[in-house]
Amino acid sequence: MELYFQTKEESNRKQLEDFLKLSKAERFYQFLRLMEKVNQFPMKYKKDSNSNFIIQLKAN
């Protein structure tokens, strides 16, 4: 295992360079993997699987 000490800007630049080295198809698959991982994060509110959106009407 190797440790690298770098600034945030250096780290971001390296990540961008590595990402841009991928083919278009690989970039797309990376995006899909990222979306899958985001769905695994805990959420405060659970989305109702029965509907796409909720309309709430507030009384005056």
Side-chain angles (χ1 to χ4, degrees):
M1 180 200 279
E2 295 182 30
L3 295 176
Y4 294 99
F5 295 96
Q6 55 193 0
T7 65
K8 183 177 180 179
E9 290 80 17
E10 291 170 334
S11 175
N12 289 342
R13 183 176 35 85
K14 175 76 169 116
Q15 287 178 11
L16 179 60
E17 288 173 3
D18 291 343
F19 182 74
L20 293 176
K21 287 179 185 176
L22 300 174
S23 70
K24 289 182 181 183
E26 290 171 323
R27 288 184 205 172
F28 180 69
Y29 288 125
Q30 282 291 100
F31 172 75
L32 293 179
R33 279 188 222 106
L34 176 63
M35 292 299 102
E36 191 173 82
K37 287 182 180 182
V38 166
N39 287 332
Q40 296 172 358
F41 278 93
M43 296 161 104
K44 187 173 182 179
Y45 300 103
K46 295 275 183 185
K47 186 176 178 181
D48 184 12
S49 62
N50 295 332
S51 64
N52 292 332
F53 58 91
I54 298 173
I55 299 174
Q56 295 180 341
L57 301 174
K58 295 183 180 182
N60 291 337

